Amino acid sequence: GLTGSAWGDWALYGASPLRAFENELGVQEPVGFWDPLGFTADGDLLAFKRRRCVELKHGRICMLATMGYITPEVAGKLPGYCSFSMNLKFADIPNGLAAISKVPSAGWAQILAYMAWCEISQDQSAGSPGAKGDFGFKVLTAKDEAGVTKKLNSELANGRLAMMAIIGMFFQDGLTGSAWGDWALYTASPLR
């Protein structure tokens, strides 16, 4: 086989193109470098770096989305009105997926404008500090390289977890009507 043994020691398989990415940011114990779909099988460094930037961005979005799901449940909603003209208070907007149809179009326009501003306000081109996730905000970065690496690895790991968390919340909300759903409300379950 590839390792010279039926029970192979993968450390002996030095010809793997995956070796090119074993020391990249985000490769963490206990899994190490993990690419089950083989996106990096060709060893293309530019494609890998682009995917890593996309993973970082999606992770950040999902961390915000996860907190957006959790915060109103735990801390409550903002006082006041979301829309004076529609007489719509923040307290009247349900949590989770049900909020999509309740937020006015002007509110969605503001959200999309903010997303666009976040996208274009920082240089995230290949080779820039922004492409690596370093925007100079010292809470997320550090003065020494080891500190930066540790924090960015943590951000990638938390982003990966948040991507799974928000999908789970969407799924449960879609089935039960709440991200913290009472499964007794899911009467269409094949398990019943």
Side-chain angles (χ1 to χ4, degrees), residues 58-74 96 158-170 179-180:
H58 288 170
R60 288 174 174 171
I61 291 167
C62 289
M63 285 188 276
L64 289 170
T66 301
M67 290 307 300
Y69 244 88
I70 294 170
T71 302
E73 293 283 344
V74 174
N158 290 333
R160 291 167 181 163
L161 177 62
M163 286 186 255
M164 296 295 108
I166 196 64
I167 289 297
M169 288 181 199
F170 286 159
W180 327 109

Side-chain angles (χ1 to χ4, degrees), residues 78-91 93 102-104 106-107 110:
L78 295 172
Y81 287 85
C82 177
S83 172
F84 287 111
S85 63
M86 296 178 67
N87 196 28
L88 180 65
K89 295 182 180 179
F90 287 110
I93 299 174
K102 304 293 186 238
V103 174
Q110 291 173 18

Side-chain angles (χ1 to χ4, degrees), residues 2-188:
L2 296 174
T3 65
S5 166
W7 309 111
D9 179 1
W10 284 102
L12 299 175
Y13 181 42
S16 171
L18 302 180
R19 296 269 186 236
F21 306 115
E22 282 187 337
N23 296 317
E24 290 291 331
L25 187 68
V27 178
Q28 300 172 21
E29 292 297 328
V31 177
F33 184 75
W34 191 61
D35 181 19
L37 298 178
F39 287 128
T40 58
D42 61 358
D44 184 349
L45 183 62
L46 285 176
F48 172 80
K49 289 190 180 261
R50 182 188 175 285
R51 287 188 186 101
R52 181 51 47 91
C53 290
V54 169
E55 177 187 19
L56 184 62
K57 187 180 290 187
H58 288 170
R60 288 174 174 171
I61 291 167
C62 289
M63 285 188 276
L64 289 170
T66 301
M67 290 307 300
Y69 244 88
I70 294 170
T71 302
E73 293 283 344
V74 174
K77 298 179 183 174
L78 295 172
Y81 287 85
C82 177
S83 172
F84 287 111
S85 63
M86 296 178 67
N87 196 28
L88 180 65
K89 295 182 180 179
F90 287 110
D92 298 335
I93 299 174
N95 293 338
L97 296 176
I100 293 172
S101 64
K102 304 293 186 238
V103 174
S105 57
W108 284 114
Q110 291 173 18
I111 292 168
L112 292 174
Y114 176 70
M115 289 168 53
W117 179 81
C118 288
E119 192 68 30
I120 63 172
S121 66
Q122 296 286 330
D123 178 17
Q124 298 176 40
S125 58
S128 71
K132 296 177 184 173
D134 184 357
F135 296 108
F137 185 59
K138 293 300 173 196
V139 172
L140 298 178
T141 60
K143 292 180 182 175
D144 64 324
E145 192 62 32
V148 170
T149 300
K150 180 181 177 187
K151 288 183 179 187
L152 291 176
N153 271 327
S154 296
E155 183 181 23
L156 277 167
N158 290 333
R160 291 167 181 163
L161 177 62
M163 286 186 255
M164 296 295 108
I166 196 64
I167 289 297
M169 288 181 199
F170 286 159
F171 185 77
Q172 186 164 339
D173 192 353
L175 290 177
T176 67
S178 170
W180 327 109
D182 179 358
W183 284 98
L185 299 175
Y186 181 45
T187 56

